[in-house]
Amino acid sequence: MEFDLKCTLLFNKSLNDAREPLTDFVQEANKSNPEKFHIQSWLIEDNKLSLHLLSRDVIRAHVYLLQLKKKLDTLLGKKNHLGLRGIKLDDYHILFDLDTIPLEEIKIPFAQIDIKKKTVSLRIQDKDEEFLTQNYIDRMINLVREKAHFQRYKGKKEDWKLLWESSQKKPLWFKDPTEALSHLGWIEQGPTKGKWFFRPPAAAIMCAMAQIAIEKVLQPLNFQEVIPSMHVPLTTWLKTGHLEGMPGEIYYISEPVTRDVKKWETFIDLLKIKKEIPIKEFSQMISTPKAGICYAQCPNIYWSFSGKTIAESSLPLLLYDRSVPSARYESGGRHGIERVDEFHRIEIVYIGTKNQLLDIKEKLIEKYRMVFNDIMDLEWRMAQVTPFYLQQAGQIIEEEPNAGTIDFEAWLPYRGDRDTPWLELQNVSIVGEKYIRAFNIKTQKSILWSGCSGIGLERWTTAFLAQKGIDPKKWPPSFQKFLSDLPSSPEFL
Ligand code: ATP
Ligand code: ZN
Ligand code: MG
């Protein structure tokens, strides 16, 4: 890497009397590591000192400058009673190499970027001191690397490695459950995009799925229920990475600007007169979102432990939430009840030592296997996939071989033969120390790991109905133990 930095240091008064100590200072600095650092030139103009620094490799001029600044401040303060008021970054030129030649143009804020083969020339001009003190520059360099990395990664096929598959099962029908349930009036699409109303028979099936998950998976493994908030602050997603990973999939929440009825008067009057929503007035009455609707339940669960030290005797923490729905802006991807904008998941979160988590992972998989094989009698499979936290952000993270995500998928006969895409029912993830670090969660001695597993109730329902049909009499007897008679649905004339 090569660094070429021009900056101006501002003092409280003229530097004219400080030429001598400055000459010595520059000479001294230039002796410290002549191979890697050099003050190319310096110039005094009244109370301004302009510096031109050159450095390479591990000595990053923007970091070194802060050290020089400190020394100068002390030196000139003592000798000449000068006070340093600030630094302006005039022109900074950084050259560095990427691992591979990028596939497309790369742009980032605050810098001009020019890339020749693998070499990036990054140019930053006219910036304040915060650029140096807040570590923006290193993050900008990393961002360029991340974007180049992601361009390659995007081009690759998603990592998908089959781990296990069930025997083939003869489907009992070939219909799309959403169409069949809609036709019967058991579900109703809406009231807004990607949402559904489940009437009693459909609700009973969803509830049976939840009951199976709780009674056959979570309770036997001693998971305990928690009730988190449905609102997730943006600051929490900043920590988990969701905000940089999927900002376009979140439903954001606006607070009203005020609760004062008087201030809402015009809005109410317009509403009463026009009998339609006065959008312009309305948009002035709601504030910029500071939170969003739950995307996955785990961030708020992690948040609840932030900064805490958990007693070793409480480990592993085994928790689940079933009360908070998840919302995602799926846009073009929406389909039926299986890919919706509001869905119902049981999310389970586990925090413990690495060995505890690897043990839980195995036990969970065993229980899930029992549910899909012995209760639902599904044709399904497990695959190792790219962890969700790596999918969108393209972050460069050291892979820990024991961390990662396993997807559970089921065949949907209505889509066609077994080569058509299968439906992801749920996953089991071990995320290593990522969230533990993000929320500063500790225990007495051990290093903590965490992980989560999201059971999609709409997905379990769709997979089961798609393979077994909607006549309870034809369902496997093991499933009928949980639900054998469906409640009636209102008849519509
Ligand atoms: P997909 O690849 O199907 O979009 P995902 O990787 O986005 O799934 P995760 O974020 O891993 O899903 O969420 C875990 C579980 O939540 C999924 O396995 C699934 O059961 C459920 N889920 C996710 N998105 C939806 C959705 N739009 N509708 C219904 N269930 C969903
Ligand atoms: Zn999660
Ligand atoms: Mg998704």
Side-chain angles (χ1 to χ4, degrees), residues 249 295 328 330 339 391-392 459:
E249 285 185 43
Y295 178 95
R328 296 186 184 183
E330 292 283 1
R339 186 176 294 281
Q391 269 173 26
Q392 315 238 357
R459 300 277 174 102

Side-chain angles (χ1 to χ4, degrees), residues 33-274:
N33 192 344
E35 298 273 290
K36 303 226 152 108
F37 176 79
H38 189 72
I39 300 179
Q40 184 73 2
S41 66
W42 59 283
L43 181 78
I44 289 173
E45 255 179 295
D46 194 27
N47 64 335
K48 290 182 193 150
L49 169 65
S50 304
L51 289 177
H52 183 186
L53 315 180
L54 297 177
S55 77
R56 55 192 311 121
D57 306 334
V58 286
I59 301 197
R60 291 162 299 160
H62 58 279
V63 177
Y64 206 68
L65 173 61
L66 292 176
Q67 296 174 22
L68 289 181
K69 175 195 153 188
K70 232 184 188 164
K71 286 184 190 160
L72 261 180
D73 204 15
T74 321
L75 176 80
L76 299 181
K78 263 194 206 143
K79 284 203 171 154
N80 304 66
H81 305 292
L82 281 157
L84 188 49
R85 289 289 173 260
I87 304 183
K88 218 183 113 269
L89 188 61
D90 299 318
D91 193 2
Y92 194 15
H93 191 192
I94 303 170
L95 282 178
F96 62 97
D97 281 344
L98 298 169
D99 298 338
T100 51
I101 300 173
L103 304 174
E104 296 159 28
E105 193 189 358
I106 294 178
K107 283 192 204 160
I108 63 164
F110 307 123
Q112 290 147 263
I113 289 178
D114 191 31
I115 304 181
K116 296 226 159 58
K117 295 206 170 141
K118 282 196 228 169
T119 307
V120 180
S121 144
L122 191 139
R123 186 141 202 195
I124 304 168
Q125 285 170 305
D126 296 324
K127 293 288 176 280
D128 295 334
E129 192 167 341
E130 64 167 335
F131 253 77
L132 301 162
T133 53
Q134 301 297 310
N135 198 25
Y136 292 173
I137 294 167
D138 288 338
R139 289 196 204 119
M140 287 164 71
I141 295 170
N142 286 343
L143 185 57
V144 174
R145 291 193 193 284
E146 197 180 292
K147 287 194 177 191
H149 172 82
F150 191 49
Q151 287 177 359
R152 297 252 152 212
Y153 171 84
K154 241 187 356 188
K156 273 202 272 171
K157 243 183 83 196
E158 203 202 336
D159 289 327
W160 187 95
K161 208 175 89 213
L162 182 68
L163 296 177
W164 183 90
E165 60 188 331
S166 71
S167 59
Q168 295 199 347
K169 307 272 159 79
K170 196 168 170 283
L172 297 185
W173 74 334
F174 290 89
K175 286 190 183 149
D176 178 343
T178 302
E179 280 173 22
L181 297 185
S182 300
H183 188 71
L184 288 166
W186 292 4
I187 53 175
E188 191 73 41
Q189 189 168 10
T192 55
K193 282 180 289 189
K195 324 286 184 319
W196 291 84
F197 186 92
F198 291 79
R199 294 210 172 87
I205 301 172
M206 290 272 282
C207 291
M209 298 300 169
Q211 192 193 343
I212 292 171
I214 290 166
E215 285 179 18
K216 293 293 173 184
V217 181
L218 302 177
Q219 285 173 349
L221 294 178
N222 295 319
F223 279 87
Q224 294 174 312
E225 185 166 0
V226 292
I227 305 179
S229 163
M230 190 190 72
H231 290 210
V232 183
L234 301 188
T235 47
T236 292
W237 281 325
L238 189 65
K239 289 190 174 141
T240 56
H242 284 87
L243 210 53
E244 60 186 71
M246 43 279 278
E249 285 185 43
I250 289 172
Y251 272 93
Y252 297 98
I253 297 168
S254 288
E255 288 173 14
V257 171
T258 171
R259 190 170 178 263
D260 182 350
V261 184
K262 277 229 166 60
K263 303 235 166 70
W264 281 91
E265 194 174 330
T266 316
F267 170 83
I268 297 168
D269 290 348
L270 286 169
L271 206 65
K272 284 184 173 164
I273 297 167
K274 291 182 140 184

Side-chain angles (χ1 to χ4, degrees), residues 242 296-299 302 345 347-349 388 427 429 431 435 451-454:
H242 284 87
Q297 293 106 304
C298 58
Y302 287 116
R345 287 199 328 169
E347 173 146 14
I348 68 183
V349 171
F388 64 94
N427 55 39
S429 286
V431 294
Y435 291 158
C452 58
S453 173

Side-chain angles (χ1 to χ4, degrees), residues 172 468 471-477 480:
L172 297 185
K468 305 295 173 196
D471 180 0
K473 285 189 211 69
K474 296 191 179 148
W475 289 345
Q480 288 188 31

Side-chain angles (χ1 to χ4, degrees), residues 235-437:
T235 47
T236 292
W237 281 325
L238 189 65
K239 289 190 174 141
T240 56
H242 284 87
L243 210 53
E244 60 186 71
M246 43 279 278
E249 285 185 43
I250 289 172
Y251 272 93
Y252 297 98
I253 297 168
S254 288
E255 288 173 14
V257 171
T258 171
R259 190 170 178 263
D260 182 350
V261 184
K262 277 229 166 60
K263 303 235 166 70
W264 281 91
E265 194 174 330
T266 316
F267 170 83
I268 297 168
D269 290 348
L270 286 169
L271 206 65
K272 284 184 173 164
I273 297 167
K274 291 182 140 184
K275 287 288 169 212
E276 62 183 30
I277 295 143
I279 295 294
K280 201 168 142 236
E281 183 70 20
F282 178 64
S283 64
Q284 288 158 3
M285 297 306 292
I286 53 171
S287 53
T288 305
K290 294 191 210 65
I293 303 178
C294 165
Y295 178 95
Q297 293 106 304
C298 58
N300 265 351
I301 298 182
Y302 287 116
W303 162 84
S304 75
F305 294 105
S306 45
K308 302 235 187 285
T309 304
I310 305 167
E312 302 254 354
S313 56
S314 302
L315 299 178
L317 282 188
L318 303 174
L319 306 170
Y320 74 91
D321 164 64
R322 62 159 163 179
S323 61
V324 177
S326 301
R328 296 186 184 183
Y329 189 72
E330 292 283 1
S331 192
R334 273 177 214 120
H335 183 267
I337 58 166
E338 66 259 31
R339 186 176 294 281
V340 287
D341 279 30
E342 182 184 7
F343 52 93
H344 302 84
R345 287 199 328 169
I346 298 178
E347 173 146 14
I348 68 183
V349 171
Y350 23 96
I351 297 175
T353 62
K354 177 175 168 179
N355 284 339
Q356 286 171 334
L357 288 216
L358 296 181
D359 179 52
I360 290 158
K361 177 176 147 189
E362 290 315 311
K363 287 184 174 145
L364 260 179
I365 291 173
E366 261 331 290
K367 293 286 179 205
Y368 286 139
R369 197 198 295 266
M370 183 269 291
V371 166
F372 298 142
N373 285 345
D374 305 339
I375 298 179
M376 297 202 212
D377 187 37
L378 290 182
E379 179 165 345
W380 65 288
R381 66 190 179 197
M382 282 190 278
Q384 187 82 41
V385 299
T386 316
F388 64 94
Y389 53 88
L390 288 178
Q391 269 173 26
Q392 315 238 357
Q395 296 159 351
I396 307 161
I397 291 181
E398 292 273 316
E399 276 296 340
E400 153 68 52
N402 286 303
T405 298
I406 296 173
D407 272 1
F408 294 65
E409 304 177 345
W411 177 38
L412 298 181
Y414 80 83
R415 283 189 182 166
D417 59 26
R418 292 179 171 84
D419 293 340
T420 54
W422 290 30
L423 181 67
E424 179 188 324
L425 302 176
Q426 59 177 42
N427 55 39
V428 169
S429 286
I430 300 260
V431 294
E433 286 182 78
K434 183 180 156 71
Y435 291 158
I436 293 297
R437 285 216 190 108

